[in-house]
Structures are given as C-alpha cells and as structure tokens.
C-alpha cells in the first residue's frame, strides 16, 4: 500500500544543517548498524557452482534502491546497509530521474508524491501529466532544479513500513551514488525516457555524459527503443537489460505489448543481453493466490542467449500461500527448487536473497537427522499450513522435519482425551455455525469470555459431519490468512491416536501440554495428570529407548505432582508471558519441579513500535540457573517479528540459535526451522558471511536516536516472583474413568460440568457476545 501525503513534524531542516546531520548519521550508521550484521566478519567463500543460470555462476542479488525494505528507497542509509548486509557482489540499483536542469538523481518514482517530503517543501507546485498513457498528478522531478531539491528529504513509500527513517536522508545524485556504493556493481534503471524527451530532457545524452565518471555495470529500461539508441555506445562491459512490465501494457517506444515481446526473445537479444521479468512471468499465480506450474520463459531466455532476472521480491508482501509466508522459500523456488535458475533477483530485502543463494541452495535432502539442538518442536503440529492439531497438521510437521510433535490435551464430556490447541471450540472449529452453538457458556475458571468447550461435547459430537476444524491465522488482523484452501480440512485426533502416530514415525519424541488440571478435577471429576500418564504407558512410551516425552504446563502444581510420581518424562514449565527478568527465589522454586522452561519470544526483548529497544536478562537468568530453554512461538508472517529481523523468519531463528544456547524452537512452521538447521554457512566459523551473522539487538533504535526519531522508551518488563510460581497442590478425587472414544458408555450430559464453576446466561445474550467477539 502506498503512502499518502502526511505531516512529518518538519524533520529534515535546511540543506546545510541537514548535510552535517546526514554526514554524522552516515558515520553512526557504519558504527552502529554494522555490528547488526557482524561488522568486519568474513564474507565467506563463493565456491564454484553448477547453477542452471546462463553462465553457471550463482545468481546475482540486485538491491533495489538499496535495502529499501527498511530505509527509504535510494537513500544513503539504504545503500550503505545493503552493502554490509548482503552478498559482497550485490549490485546496487538506482532508478535514474532527471531534474529540470538535467542532473541525474536516484528516486524510485518520477512522481515524488509518495517517496519524499516535497509536499511540505513546495505544497503549491503540483502538476498533472500523462505518463505511459495514464494521467498522474503530483510533484514531478522534471519540474524542479537540483538546488530546489536540496530542501526535500526521502521517505518510505510503503505504508506497512516504518516511517521513523523519513526525513533523514537527502536525495542522492547519480554521481554521488556511484561514490557511495563503490566497489559494488552499479545498476541504472531508466524508466521514462519518452516522458523526459517530451519535456526537453535527454536521458540518452545524460548517460553518455557520465559514462567516464560512473562505471555502469548494468543499464535497464522498459523502453526497448531507449536501449537500442544507447547500444554500442556505453562500453562493452555494460550489460543492457530489457525490463518487462505487465503483459497487457504497451512499450510506447516500439508500440508493442510486453506480452507480444515475451514471445520474441530473439529480437530482444539483438539489442540487449538480458531481461527482467515480474515473478508472475515465471511462476503464474491463481486468483486465490496459489502457484500454477512454472512457464518455460527461463529456458527460452537461456536458449536465446539472454540472462533473465526476476523482480518484485520483498519480505513484507503477500506471496503465494505455497510458500507459507516464508520469503526465503520463494527465492529458492526461483534459483534452486524449481528445476531452473534465474540469473538474478531484484529485491528490497537483499539480506534474504543473499541467504537463499549463499547458504540454502543445494542442501542435503537425505533423511532428517534428529540429533543436535535446538530441537524442532511443532506448535499444534504444522499449524502454519493446516488447522491446529489435526491429522494433516501432524503429518505435515513430521514430513517437514519436526523432531518433536506436540499435543495440548483437552477432554470431551465422555472423558476422551484429545489434542486441541484450545479447549474453547470457538477458537479452533466452526462450532458457532452448528447446532452445538446453543451450548455456549461462561466458565470463569477457564476464561472470562463465553465459549463452547470440548467438555461440552462427546467424542462422537467432535467427529460429526457438522463440526470441522478451523485453521488459525494469528495475523489475520493484517489480512494475512493461512492456506485458505485448507481452512476447514483435517480430522481431530484422540491422544491415543496422536501417540500411535508418534510411536510409528521417525521422531525424537512428543511434548504433552496439560492445562486447567484443577478445574477438570473439580468440575468433571477427571484427573488429567493420571489420565495422561496412563495413556503414555499404554502407548509404550514409559520405557522406550529413544522416544523422549516432555510434559509441559504453566501450572506448577501439575509438574509437582508428576515429580512426586517419579515420572521419567522431562518436566517443562511454561513461564508467564510479559516478564523480562526472574528473581533468584523464583528460579529456585522452578528447579524444584522442572528441568526446563518454555519462554515466550516476546519476553526476550522489550519492544517499542516493533523495534527492539533492549534485550532483557530473562534468558541469561534462566540459563545461569541451569534450566534448559525452549522458545516459542516462531511464525513466518513478517508482522510476527520485530523490525530488527527484516520480515525474515530465518533472520530471527538465526539470532536465537547463535545468541542463546536453546534446547528447542517451538514453531508453527517446522519446515522453516528444519531448513535453517541444514544451512551451509553457520558452520564456516570465521568465514561465515555477514548476512548470516546474528543481528545486534536494538541497533536500529540506537541509530534513530541520532535524529531523535527513536521509538518511545519503555520501563523494564516485570520480574517473575515466587508468588507467581507457587500454587496449591492439585485436589484429589476419585477419578472418573477416561474413555479412548472407541465405545459408548455413561456420559455426562453435554454442556453441564458438575459444579458451580459454570456461570450461565441467556443463550441469546451469549450468542450476541460470541459473534461480536468473532467479528472483532
């Protein structure tokens, strides 16, 4: 989404003052942000390869406007950061625009409306022009001299990106750009030669005028006529690349559509040495955002002797659901996994392109090795791709390389233990659209909101044709939904079925999550702890030589009881979320009943406006106490990570693995973590490339302090105390028999727990509350 005009609090100042500030900022950027990617660490060897590129060399990374996924496009910050956070031979892309007095500048768009502060500097100088047959209004570069643009600053053009770098950087001239990015290859893109000619400016003459001062490795344009006019006059080392736009659009320089030109690559080869195409030219996408089979354009380009580059890569765009919101997986489909390789990728997040090409191509595809930490632990199975805790989610997690699969245990009204991420069926099923919607109630001991719970239904009810699972989409508020074709697919599993799958498959073990144990005893007469241990024994886990059992709970009383029973399972305590530290007394208490803890990844840092402003001491406290550490929940969606990780889940995983001695990573997307563990770069020691160095937490916020645009400061997060850990013992009860769901028997009436823990209200009012909550 593009930004509209908005006030930016007058940041930027006069050109002289700003020049001093930017020069200082540049020094700060190198001193502060370079540690973010490892500073002077080695770039790593670029070994000979057998890529299916035209030359056989590794694909080129092209940084569009620098690292424009974070910094304003074409700014000093974007170019400087791209150079230190990307592969060493990454090409730097400049969209060349011409000022009124014929000076070339780097700007992402000829219309400065959405990428600069020009609306504040010159509010009355809007114009309307027809560009490529489309009428556009705004502030155009060709209407301003280079001197006038000195009072204009660059801004981020994409709404979803942070605006805290806006107003910091001046517009960069093409000649200054060359000096700024040395020794990186230079890529100049000329988008509007025809428009400039119509306004008395000559892009061809400008390119010729600077060729002795600016070494141009690549020149691209969507106007084939422009490339023809400069062909043979820019030097043999300069590659000319024709840029394809949407197939239905017209290249006005030769009056042919891009679709028709894509069928005549031999003609293009007579002028250019390469082509750039949108991703959809190579991997078409359906209307519901799934990949179609790849086209043959890469092969056709190579057969014609043309290099082919794919454009439009960015970590914070919605990509086809086949990639599970993993931008690195998308790159691999263009350079490795698709049976072909493009010759380069044009990216606004070049760190991810560099990782993909440098560390994740040609990985060992042999059988998964479950040795070595951190363990890959599923979170409700592969819940990033399929509904939580269904057969599809668990089998996918296993296929994707999980070491351990998890089961949050719930209970039906007839005492069947089952796996489900939430006891409230409103969270995990379509129950509100079924006849069971009348069972809505409020159970204060579980949650203050109304719900329909597993203990309101029998196991037979859970397997009725009407009730279906519902995929979780934690980022749906950002219109990021998961795998819509499988929204309601899959089958619910009893705990016994789950354990049978785990016993049969190549896994390190299982993680069993127990919650609400006291409520289940008091209200349903079910001792969930004893029931789970009985199920584990029946499934053969008690004395299994290789299968490990982890039992996780946020209720210390559950783990205390298991400890007293001398369980052989590994006991794991779930820490409360939102803490940043742990007192010595709380750590001593935890060690009495647990040998490991699960920590919410959001407790590791203090975040402000999605920036890391400090790393908390919690992890250090836990590990100093000798507790094994499992971190949760890792998700691929770019909004799930702090801005410091650039919308790339692999960067976040890399930070945790290299910064902390984790025992396990709990994730909705086991495939992403498993692939990380196979990377070929983190084993290189001193030769590990910069782009695989762990980020330095808080560096971006620290850099912004130079301009007083840093996110707001926040107080330290709360400290975990003994009182938060200690709980009264679980009540004892003559346990009601627990069924495996295979036969019917005496059951409690659905929807009526046995004591007064259920608060009732009119069904009409509850339904109103339920549907209101769902709408929100």
């Amino acid at each position: 989404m593009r930004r509209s005009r908005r006030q930016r609090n007058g940041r930027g100042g006069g050109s002289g003052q700003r020049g001093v500030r930017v020069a200082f900022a540049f020094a700060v950027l190198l001193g502060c942000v370079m540690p973010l990617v490892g500073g002077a660490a080695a770039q790593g060897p670029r070994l000979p390869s057998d890529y299916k590129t035209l030359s056989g060399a590794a694909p080129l990374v092209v940084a569009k406007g620098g690292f424009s996924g974070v910094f304003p496009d074409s700014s000093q910050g974007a170019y400087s950061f791209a150079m230190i956070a990307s592969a060493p031979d990454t090409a730097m892309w400049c969209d060349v625009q011409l000022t009124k007095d014929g000076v070339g500048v780097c700007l992402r768009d000829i219309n400065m409306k959405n990428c600069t502060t020009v609306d504040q500097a010159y509010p009355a100088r809007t114009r309307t022009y027809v560009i490529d047959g489309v009428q556009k209004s705004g502030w155009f570069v060709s209407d301003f001299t280079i001197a006038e643009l000195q009072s204009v600053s660059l801004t981020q053009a994409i709404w979803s990106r942070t605006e805290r770098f806006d107003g910091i950087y001046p517009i960069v001239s093409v000649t200054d750009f060359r000096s700024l990015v040395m020794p990186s290859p230079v890529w100049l893109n000329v988008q509007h030669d025809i428009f400039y000619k119509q306004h008395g400016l000559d892009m061809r003459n400008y390119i010729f005028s600077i060729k002795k001062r600016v070494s141009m490795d690549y020149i691209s344009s969507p106007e084939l006529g422009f490339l023809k006019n400069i062909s043979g006059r820019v030097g043999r080392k300069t590659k000319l690349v024709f840029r394809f736009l949407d197939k239905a659009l017209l290249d006005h320089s030769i009056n042919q559509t891009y679709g028709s030109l894509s069928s005549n690559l031999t003609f293009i080869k007579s002028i250019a040495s390469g082509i750039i195409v949108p991703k959809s030219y190579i991997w078409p996408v359906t209307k519901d955002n799934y990949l179609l089979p790849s086209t043959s354009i890469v092969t056709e380009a190579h057969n014609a002797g043309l290099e082919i580059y794919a454009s439009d890569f960015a970590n914070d765009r919605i990509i086809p659901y086949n990639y599970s919101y993993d931008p690195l997986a998308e790159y691999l489909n263009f350079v490795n996994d698709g049976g072909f390789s493009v010759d380069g990728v044009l990216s606004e997040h070049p760190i991810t392109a560099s990782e993909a090409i440098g560390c994740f191509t040609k990985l060992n595809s042999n059988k998964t090795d479950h040795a070595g930490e951190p363990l890959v632990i599923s979170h409700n199975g592969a819940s990033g791709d399929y509904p939580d805790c269904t057969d599809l989610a668990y089998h996918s997690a296993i296929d994707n390389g999980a070491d351990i699969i998890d089961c949050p245990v719930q209970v039906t009204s007839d005492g069947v233990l089952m796996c489900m991420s939430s006891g409230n069926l409103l969270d995990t099923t379509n129950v509100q659209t079924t006849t069971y919607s009348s069972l809505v109630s409020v159970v204060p001991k579980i949650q203050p909101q109304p719900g329909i719970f597993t203990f309101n239904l029998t196991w037979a009810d859970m397997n009725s044709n009407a009730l279906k699972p519902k995929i979780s989409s934690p980022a749906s508020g950002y219109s990021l939904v998961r795998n819509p074709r499988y929204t309601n697919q899959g089958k619910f599993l009893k705990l016994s079925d789950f354990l049978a799958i785990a016993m049969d498959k190549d896994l390190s073990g299982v993680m069993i999550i127990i919650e609400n144990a006291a409520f289940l005893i008091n209200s349903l007469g079910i001792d969930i702890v004893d029931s789970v241990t009985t199920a584990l024994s029946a499934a053969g886990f008690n004395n299994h030589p290789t299968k490990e059992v982890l039992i996780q709970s946020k209720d210390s009383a559950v783990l205390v009881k298991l400890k007293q029973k001398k369980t052989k399972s590994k006991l794991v305590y779930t820490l409360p979320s939102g803490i940043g530290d742990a007192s010595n007394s709380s750590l001593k208490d935890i060690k009495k009943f647990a040998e490991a803890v699960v920590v919410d990844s959001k407790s590791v840092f203090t975040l402000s406006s999605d920036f890391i402003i400090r790393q908390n001491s919690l992890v250090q406290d836990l590990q100093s106490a000798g507790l094994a550490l499992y971190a949760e929940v890792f998700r691929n969606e770019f909004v799930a990570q702090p801005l410091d990780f650039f919308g790339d889940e692999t960067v976040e995983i890399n930070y945790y693995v290299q910064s902390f001695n984790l025992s396990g990573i709990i994730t909705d997307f086991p495939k992403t973590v498993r692939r990380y563990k196979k990377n070929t770069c983190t084993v290189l020691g001193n030769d590990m490339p910069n782009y695989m160095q762990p980020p330095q937490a808080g560096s971006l916020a620290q850099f912004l302090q130079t301009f007083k645009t840093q996110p707001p400061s926040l107080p330290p997060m709360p400290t975990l105390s003994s009182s938060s850990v200690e709980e009264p013992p679980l009540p004892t009860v003559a346990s009601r028999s627990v069924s495996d769901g295979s036969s019917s028997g005496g059951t409690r009436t659905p929807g009526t727990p046995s004591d007064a823990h259920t608060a009732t209200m009119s069904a009409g009012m509850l339904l109103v509350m339920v549907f209101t909550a769902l709408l929100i």
Side-chain angles (χ1 to χ4, degrees), residues 527-540:
D527 189 324
I528 188 70
V529 175
D530 286 348
S531 299
V532 166
T533 54
T534 299
L536 287 166
S537 177

Side-chain angles (χ1 to χ4, degrees), residues 558-752:
V558 168
L559 303 180
V560 168
K561 179 172 181 177
L562 287 164
K563 185 85 169 180
Q564 292 169 347
K565 291 169 69 71
K566 300 187 184 303
T567 179
K568 295 181 180 179
S569 302
K570 187 173 186 177
L571 302 181
V572 184
Y573 180 56
T574 307
L575 293 173
S577 60
I579 60 170
D581 197 354
S583 66
N584 289 333
S585 59
S586 69
L587 294 172
K588 290 179 181 177
D589 288 338
I590 293 171
K591 291 202 69 177
K592 293 176 183 176
F593 56 79
E595 53 188 302
V597 293
V598 170
V599 61
D600 188 334
S601 60
K602 292 181 174 58
S603 294
V604 176
F605 307 107
T606 299
L607 298 180
S608 179
S609 301
D610 294 323
F611 284 91
I612 296 173
I613 58 174
R614 76 177 69 92
Q615 182 173 304
N616 299 324
S617 61
L618 179 62
V619 171
Q620 181 180 353
D621 295 340
L622 296 168
Q623 293 182 327
S624 296
L627 290 162
L629 183 65
Y630 301 93
E632 69 172 10
V633 175
F634 287 77
R635 298 186 169 111
N636 286 356
E637 291 93 342
F638 63 87
V639 297
Q641 305 123 24
L643 292 173
D644 302 65
F645 299 138
F646 319 123
D648 181 351
E649 179 59 359
T650 298
V651 174
E652 181 175 39
I653 294 167
N654 189 45
Y655 178 88
Y656 276 82
V657 171
Q658 294 203 51
S659 300
F660 309 122
N661 184 27
L662 292 181
S663 295
I665 292 177
I666 301 172
T667 174
D668 289 356
F669 299 90
K671 185 176 184 179
T672 304
V673 185
R674 171 56 59 190
R675 186 192 58 215
Y676 170 80
K677 290 186 68 175
K678 292 182 176 181
N679 84 81
T680 58
C681 287
T682 52
V683 296
L684 295 176
N686 292 334
D687 288 326
M688 183 166 56
N690 278 354
Y691 47 81
M692 284 298 287
Q693 298 284 342
Q696 181 173 341
S699 287
L700 289 179
Q702 181 184 349
F703 167 65
L704 288 170
Q705 290 179 5
T706 307
F707 304 95
K708 303 188 184 302
T709 61
Q710 72 272 18
S713 180
L714 294 176
M717 296 171 71
T719 299
L720 181 68
S721 63
S722 290
S723 61
S724 299
V725 175
E726 296 172 348
E727 292 180 346
L730 292 176
T732 57
V733 68
S735 296
R736 169 185 155 195
S737 63
V738 174
S739 168
D740 66 359
S742 60
S743 61
S744 62
T747 63
R748 187 181 312 286
T749 302
T752 56

